[in-house]
Amino acid sequence: MPDIIQLLPDHVANQIAAGEVVQRPASVVKELLENAIDAKATSIKLLIKDAGKSLIQVIDNGKGMSETDARFCFERHATSKIKSAEDLFNLETKGFRGEALASIAAIAHVELKTKQEHQELGTHIKIEGSKLQSQELISTPKGTSIAVKNLFYNIPARRNFLKSNPVETRHIVDEFQRVALVHPSIEFSLYHNDNEVYRLNSSNLRQRIVAVLGKKTNEKLVPIDEKTDVVTLTGFVSKPEYAKKKRGEQFFFVNNRFIKNGYLHHAVSSAFEGLLGHGYHPSYFLYLTVPTQTIDINIHPTKTEIKFDNEKVLYAILRSTIKHSLGQYNIAPVLDFNRDATLDVPYEFKNKKIEREPAITIDRNFNPFKNETQQVAKYPYKKEKQADWESLYTAIETEHATPEKKLFEDSRPSNKTHQIHGKYIISTIKSGIIYINQNLAHQRILYEKYLENITVKEAMSQQLLFPIEINFNKEDINLIEQIKQDLESTGFLFESINSETVIIKGIPTTVNESQITAILEQLLDDIKNEIPETSFSQLDIMAKSLAKSMAIKSGTSLNIEEQEMIVARLFSCKEPNHSPYGKPTFISIELNEIDKKFGL
C-alpha cells in the first residue's frame, strides 16, 4: 500500500494558519496596530475602505525595519519577540508568535514601506498570496506603512462568510477602541472611506476614555486604584445610575492587553449587587498589572483569553476594591449602626439656649374605668356603635344567592378570557382551549403595526413637554442618523442630532418616556449585530426590535378588556401563529386531549 501522508505546501499551510489568525478584517487591524505599538510608535493612523475588505492600512512613526527584516517578517514563525519557550511566560510585547504577517500575506495583496531612523532610504515590498512580487529601495518617512488590499481574494468561500459592511466596520471600531483605550499616550486616528471617525491626541487615561466614548462619559466615572503584591488595579467603573441594558462598555486589560474573562466579570457584577435594577449592567474600564510569570497568554490565537495562577485572589481583590470605591465616593449605601440620623439636632437649633421648658397639660380627672356614657360625654368624637353588623353578612349572602353553575353558563364577553400567572391568556374555541403568551402575542401585533408604519403610513406621535437628551458614542450617532427617517415613521421626532447627543421631542403613543433610552439602546444593538445587506431587511429588524422592547412583559396584570383586545388583535394579524422571532404565540389543546386526562 503506498504512503498517503505528505507535507503541505507552504502556501496551503499559510492559508490554514490564516484561518486561525485572520477571521475577519478586524483581525488584521488588531495585528497591525499591535505591531505598530511594539515598534514604539507615538503616532498611529488607521485607514480602511469598504469595511476593510478593499483596504486596511496602518501608518506609524515607530522604529521601522531594516531591508533584511522587512523581507524576513513575512516568513512563518519569524519573530523578534521570543527566542525560547520560556520567553512565553515573560512577555512584554503584543505579538510574539510570528504568524500574523505570514498569514495576512497568504490571503491578501500586501504592500510594505519601512525605514529606520539612521537609514537614508527605506524598503518597499509587494507580496501577493505569499509570493514576493517586488522589492526595492524607496524614499519614505521613518517608521512603517503596511497596506493590506483585497482580503481573502484567493479564498472566495471565506470572503462570502464575511458580514455586511456595517457589521464588519463595527468589529474594526471595537478593535481600534480596545487598542486606543490601553495606550492613551499614543496618538491614534481612524479614517473610513476617507472620512475621519476618530482623532485621539496623546492624553491621560480618563481623557482617552472620554475622547473615545463622548464628553458626557466623564461625569459617569468612579476611579479605581489599588496596589497589592498580587496585582496593581487601576481604571474606572460607571456610577450605578448610568448602568445600561447592554454590556457594550465593559473592558478588561491585563498587562496592556485586552482580555475577556467571565470569572472576573462576575467579580465586578457582584460588587454592584443591590445597586442596579434587574437586567442592567455596569460599564467599566479596568486595568490589571500582574507579574508576567503568573499568566499564560498563549492559549488562544487571538490572545484575548488568559490563564491566571491565582484567579480566586484576583476575584476577591477586584470585588472588594470596587465596593470600597463606590462607598468612598458615596455611591453605595453605607450603614452606621451607632448613629440614628432621626435623633440629630437641627443645625439652626444646635447652640440655641432653652428659653422655657415646654408645658405639659394633664387631665387629672381621667378614669379609663368609668362607664361608657361618661366617656361619650367627655370625648364626643367616639364612633357610634354598629347595632346591625349582622346585616353586612346578610348583604353578602343575598348578593351571591345564585346557582353555582351560573359562573360557567354566563355568556357575557368578560368571561371569554382568563389570565394565569400574569403570563398567559386562556380562551375557549369550538374544539378546545388555547393558551396565548401575552408577551409573544403583543410582539406580533406591534411588529406588524410598526412594519406598516415604516413602509406604508406614518405613525401617531405624542409631543413631549420637555425634550429628552440622550448621549451616545460616535458609532451609535452615525447609525441613528442612518435610520432617523425610519424612526420618525414609527413615531419618534428628533429636535437635533449632534456628534454626541440626540434630543428627542416626540415619541410613539405606545411608549413611556422612561423607556426611550432602553428602547434605542436595544434597537442599535440589534441592528449592529444582525443588519443584513438589503434596506428592507434593516426595516424588518427595526420593527422586530421595537416590538420586542415595547411589548407587554410577562408578569403584567391585564383586565378583561385588555385580554380580549390582545386576542382580537392577534387573530387579525397576517401571521398570528408566530412571534416576529419565530416562537409560537399560542398553543391549543383539543377537547379529546382533556377528556383523556380524566380517563374519559
Side-chain angles (χ1 to χ4, degrees):
M1 184 175 180
D3 298 331
I4 60 173
I5 296 177
Q6 58 184 348
L7 288 174
L8 288 172
D10 283 345
H11 71 279
V12 176
N14 284 340
Q15 288 183 359
I16 294 172
E20 293 183 346
V21 178
V22 184
Q23 300 169 358
R24 59 191 342 142
S27 307
V28 176
V29 169
K30 175 181 182 292
E31 299 292 347
L32 297 185
L33 289 177
E34 289 183 347
N35 282 346
I37 292 167
D38 285 342
K40 308 299 182 185
T42 59
S43 176
I44 301 174
K45 182 185 292 185
L46 170 63
L47 300 92
I48 58 173
K49 289 186 178 179
D50 301 326
K53 297 172 184 175
S54 299
L55 172 69
I56 300 170
Q57 184 174 9
V58 171
I59 304 170
D60 69 65
N61 64 348
K63 295 184 297 184
M65 289 182 281
S66 66
E67 186 177 358
T68 304
D69 286 345
R71 176 64 190 92
F72 201 42
C73 71
F74 291 103
E75 298 296 327
R76 286 193 70 196
H77 305 306
T79 178
S80 61
K81 315 297 174 58
I82 63 173
K83 291 182 172 61
S84 65
E86 287 74 19
D87 292 341
L88 290 173
F89 298 95
N90 292 283
L91 290 169
E92 301 290 344
T93 57
K94 304 285 187 183
F96 51 85
R97 289 199 186 99
E99 294 172 305
L101 291 180
S103 299
I104 293 168
I107 54 173
H109 298 164
V110 179
E111 186 174 351
L112 172 70
K113 297 176 183 178
T114 184
K115 185 177 85 74
Q116 293 179 326
E117 189 171 13
H118 64 274
Q119 294 176 326
E120 290 186 7
L121 294 175
T123 306
H124 183 199
I125 292 177
K126 289 184 179 180
I127 293 181
E128 296 180 4
S130 295
K131 295 180 180 179
L132 179 65
Q133 301 297 316
S134 66
Q135 179 173 343
E136 59 186 4
L137 297 176
I138 189 175
S139 177
T140 184
K142 168 186 171 270
T144 301
S145 168
I146 183 165
V148 178
K149 303 175 183 178
N150 306 320
L151 193 64
F152 297 125
Y153 80 99
N154 53 355
I155 314 179
R158 286 296 301 276
R159 194 175 179 89
N160 291 338
F161 274 101
L162 293 178
K163 303 294 184 182
S164 66
N165 282 0
V167 172
E168 295 299 340
T169 302
R170 182 178 66 84
H171 285 286
I172 289 173
V173 171
D174 286 346
E175 291 294 349
F176 178 84
Q177 289 180 347
R178 291 166 183 172
V179 174
L181 284 171
V182 81
H183 296 283
S185 62
I186 300 176
E187 294 179 1
F188 286 94
S189 56
L190 168 60
Y191 294 84
H192 184 211
N193 294 337
D194 298 324
N195 296 318
E196 183 182 285
V197 181
Y198 283 102
R199 179 179 289 276
L200 307 173
N201 297 321
S202 177
S203 60
N204 60 34
L205 183 55
R206 189 180 195 118
Q207 291 169 338
R208 177 55 55 89
I209 293 172
V210 171
V212 171
L213 298 174
K215 294 177 182 177
K216 294 290 183 180
T217 308
N218 187 44
E219 63 191 47
K220 306 176 185 179
L221 301 177
V222 176
I224 304 294
D225 192 8
E226 185 66 40
K227 188 172 184 178
T228 69
D229 294 336
V230 177
V231 61
T232 298
L233 177 61
T234 58
F236 300 90
V237 296
S238 67
K239 296 176 183 177
E241 60 265 33
Y242 296 107
K244 296 187 175 183
K245 282 280 189 180
K246 290 295 166 185
R247 298 182 179 181
E249 297 171 0
Q250 296 181 337
F251 297 89
F252 270 120
F253 300 97
V254 175
N255 293 2
N256 291 339
R257 188 187 301 275
F258 173 79
I259 68 156
K260 296 176 182 178
N261 191 297
Y263 188 64
L264 296 184
H265 170 76
H266 188 273
V268 178
S269 299
S270 64
F272 278 86
E273 191 173 1
L275 298 176
L276 302 180
H278 178 70
Y280 282 85
H281 306 278
S283 299
Y284 55 80
F285 310 85
L286 296 171
Y287 299 76
L288 290 74
T289 304
V290 299
T292 54
Q293 64 271 17
T294 64
I295 57 174
D296 183 3
I297 300 169
N298 195 33
I299 62 172
H300 194 274
T302 62
K303 301 184 280 290
T304 55
E305 297 177 19
I306 290 181
K307 272 188 176 180
F308 295 93
D309 279 354
N310 43 13
E311 268 194 336
K312 291 184 178 179
V313 176
L314 289 176
Y315 183 101
I317 294 173
L318 191 58
R319 182 176 181 272
S320 61
T321 301
I322 294 173
K323 286 182 75 73
H324 174 72
S325 291
L326 291 174
Q328 186 178 7
Y329 287 87
N330 297 321
I331 304 300
V334 178
L335 298 178
D336 186 352
F337 295 101
N338 297 320
R339 172 177 169 273
D340 187 346
T342 60
L343 300 179
D344 287 352
V345 178
Y347 180 79
E348 61 270 21
F349 291 102
K350 188 173 183 181
N351 299 318
K352 194 172 183 180
K353 293 181 179 180
I354 299 175
E355 296 178 358
R356 60 183 180 84
E357 293 185 3
I360 302 174
T361 57
I362 301 173
D363 184 1
R364 300 185 183 280
N365 297 321
F366 174 71
N367 184 351
F369 300 104
K370 288 184 179 181
N371 59 42
E372 189 175 334
T373 56
Q374 291 174 314
Q375 298 254 354
V376 170
K378 195 167 187 66
Y379 301 102
Y381 298 104
K382 188 176 185 303
K383 288 185 179 179
E384 295 182 5
K385 185 178 179 182
Q386 180 67 44
D388 55 346
W389 58 269
E390 294 90 348
S391 63
L392 297 173
Y393 294 92
T394 305
I396 293 175
E397 290 174 4
T398 305
E399 184 181 344
H400 292 277
T402 55
E404 188 175 303
K405 66 178 182 177
K406 183 181 178 184
L407 178 65
F408 302 95
E409 293 177 352
D410 200 334
S411 59
R412 292 178 299 171
S414 60
N415 285 330
K416 285 183 179 179
T417 62
H418 298 279
Q419 187 186 34
I420 56 174
H421 299 297
K423 191 173 184 179
Y424 299 104
I425 299 171
I426 303 177
S427 185
T428 57
I429 54 177
K430 288 183 180 179
S431 58
I433 298 175
I434 59 170
Y435 291 80
I436 301 170
N437 184 299
Q438 65 188 42
N439 173 257
L440 298 178
H442 201 211
Q443 282 188 34
R444 164 53 63 177
I445 295 165
L446 292 178
Y447 165 70
E448 294 197 4
K449 174 186 173 183
Y450 289 134
L451 200 58
E452 182 183 17
N453 288 340
I454 293 172
T455 56
V456 180
K457 63 180 183 179
E458 294 289 324
M460 295 294 292
S461 179
Q462 54 180 329
Q463 293 282 338
L464 296 174
L465 186 60
F466 301 103
I468 300 172
E469 182 177 314
I470 309 175
N471 300 304
F472 293 100
N473 59 40
K474 291 182 180 179
E475 183 187 3
D476 289 342
I477 290 290
N478 291 335
L479 187 50
I480 289 174
E481 287 177 335
Q482 292 175 28
I483 62 175
K484 176 176 177 285
Q485 187 175 353
D486 299 324
L487 281 171
E488 288 174 340
S489 299
T490 66
F492 285 94
L493 295 177
F494 296 91
E495 184 173 294
S496 65
I497 301 175
N498 60 35
S499 59
E500 295 181 355
T501 306
V502 173
I503 298 179
I504 298 172
K505 63 179 181 180
I507 58 177
T509 54
T510 55
V511 180
N512 295 326
E513 266 187 67
S514 58
Q515 298 175 294
I516 296 301
T517 302
I519 288 170
L520 289 179
E521 286 179 354
Q522 177 70 56
L523 173 62
L524 294 175
D525 190 72
D526 287 343
I527 292 179
K528 284 188 286 187
N529 284 300
E530 302 178 46
I531 181 171
E533 293 290 350
T534 63
S535 59
F536 179 78
S537 296
Q538 180 175 337
L539 301 180
D540 184 66
I541 287 174
M542 183 182 298
K544 285 180 180 178
S545 180
L546 291 172
K548 180 173 65 175
S549 297
M550 300 184 198
I552 296 169
K553 301 297 185 285
S554 295
T556 303
S557 179
L558 304 176
N559 59 37
I560 295 297
E561 290 76 14
E562 291 169 336
Q563 296 170 30
E564 291 179 352
M565 190 175 295
I566 291 288
V567 175
R569 289 183 177 178
L570 174 64
F571 289 101
S572 65
C573 289
K574 295 178 181 178
E575 297 288 341
N577 292 8
H578 295 91
S579 76
Y581 293 91
K583 295 180 180 179
T585 56
F586 66 89
I587 59 171
S588 60
I589 300 179
E590 302 290 330
L591 278 174
N592 57 4
E593 293 181 50
I594 300 174
D595 290 339
K596 288 178 184 178
K597 297 289 183 182
F598 289 96
L600 301 177

